[in-house]
Amino acid sequence: MEFFKRLLFLPESASAHGAGLDDLLVYVHLLMLVLFIGWFAFFVIAVYKHARSNNPKADYHGTRSHFSTYAEIGVAAIEGLLLLGFAVPLWAKAVDKFPEEKDAVVIQVIGQQFAWNAHYAGPDGKWGKQDIQFASSTNPFGIDANDADAKDDLTTLSNEPFFVPVGKEVICKISSMDVIHCFKIPLMRVTQDAVPGMSIPVHFKATRVGDFSITCAQLCGNGHSKMRGFFKVVDQAEYDKWFIARSKAGGAGAVLE
Ligand SMILES: [Cu+2]
């Protein structure tokens, strides 16, 4: 399996659901390879067998073998197995089944030309009041600085790193303040469009520490290629330290005042 993953140039995944996704990708590619070789061979054999030189007199019954029918049934069965046996259960687990918010790190994410911004609720676990009237390029989340719950909220703006602890579920609620972006963390195998006016949640669990790029996977304007944030996956202790320090530094409130 590792050999095939290398053949597909897949970088080693860094999320809990990544390995299953990569396996499925390998199976689909292997099936396509078999089909490519199989159908091409079938074509060459048909051209040779039915050539005029081999059949000077037309045969109105044509081929009598049922091989191609059986082959097609076989291919359909394998495709059904991939879909029902692998793809559907993987989707149910990796996409549909959300962890409880209380057991996860919840981050509001807003894409902006050309930056990724994050908003954490702060140590009190309560989101500060947000209103569109406060939203601006320096306050993309429209946080009300005078709201008591907002005082300890944290934001990281303009492609500053998002911190998350390793081995813990992370829920990102993805939105955009201008055009359609796409929140993609290639090594976490996470991709979700960021659509203005919508908040679309995704979840993943990082399996190793490190820095992981967030790219924008929708061409969103002149600075699209500069729209590169990153996740800093650290151990729980380091995350807690950053979280408290960042919150004490004034978090979202300080940015606004
Ligand atoms: Cu973008």
Side-chain angles (χ1 to χ4, degrees), residues 109-171:
V109 178
I110 283 192
Q112 173 189 11
Q113 287 174 318
F114 299 95
W116 291 110
N117 308 298
H119 176 198
Y120 298 68
D124 67 355
K126 290 186 195 142
W127 299 96
K129 218 168 89 196
Q130 289 167 270
D131 195 294
I132 191 76
Q133 63 168 310
F134 301 119
S136 68
S137 60
T138 51
N139 182 12
F141 295 96
I143 300 166
D144 179 353
N146 295 318
D147 182 52
D149 291 338
K151 295 291 181 199
D152 69 335
D153 282 18
L154 300 71
T155 55
T156 76
L157 304 177
S158 306
N159 292 329
E160 271 185 282
F162 299 8
F163 276 64
V164 287
V166 68
K168 192 164 178 190
E169 293 282 1
V170 176
I171 299 175

Side-chain angles (χ1 to χ4, degrees), residues 181 216 218 220 224 227:
H181 300 279
C216 180
Q218 291 281 11
C220 59
H224 170 65
M227 194 165 168

Side-chain angles (χ1 to χ4, degrees), residues 47-189:
V47 165
Y48 174 77
K49 264 188 91 169
H50 301 290
R52 192 177 172 195
S53 55
N54 288 334
N55 303 276
K57 195 164 171 291
D59 171 6
Y60 293 99
H61 294 291
T63 182
R64 285 171 186 82
S65 158
H66 292 295
F67 171 76
S68 64
T69 311
Y70 300 143
E72 278 182 43
I73 292 171
V75 169
I78 294 171
E79 284 172 350
L81 179 74
L82 284 180
L83 187 64
L84 299 174
F86 291 90
V88 171
L90 187 65
W91 184 272
K93 200 172 106 205
V95 181
D96 284 345
K97 194 168 165 281
F98 267 80
E100 296 272 351
E101 286 204 3
K102 62 174 171 50
D103 304 325
V105 173
V106 184
I107 310 173
Q108 289 186 15
V109 178
I110 283 192
Q112 173 189 11
Q113 287 174 318
F114 299 95
W116 291 110
N117 308 298
H119 176 198
Y120 298 68
D124 67 355
K126 290 186 195 142
W127 299 96
K129 218 168 89 196
Q130 289 167 270
D131 195 294
I132 191 76
Q133 63 168 310
F134 301 119
S136 68
S137 60
T138 51
N139 182 12
F141 295 96
I143 300 166
D144 179 353
N146 295 318
D147 182 52
D149 291 338
K151 295 291 181 199
D152 69 335
D153 282 18
L154 300 71
T155 55
T156 76
L157 304 177
S158 306
N159 292 329
E160 271 185 282
F162 299 8
F163 276 64
V164 287
V166 68
K168 192 164 178 190
E169 293 282 1
V170 176
I171 299 175
C172 290
K173 299 181 175 179
I174 316 293
S175 191
S176 166
M177 73 178 294
D178 37 46
V179 298
I180 297 175
H181 300 279
C182 182
F183 181 77
K184 186 177 182 87
I185 324 166
L187 266 68
M188 298 289 170
R189 309 291 191 261

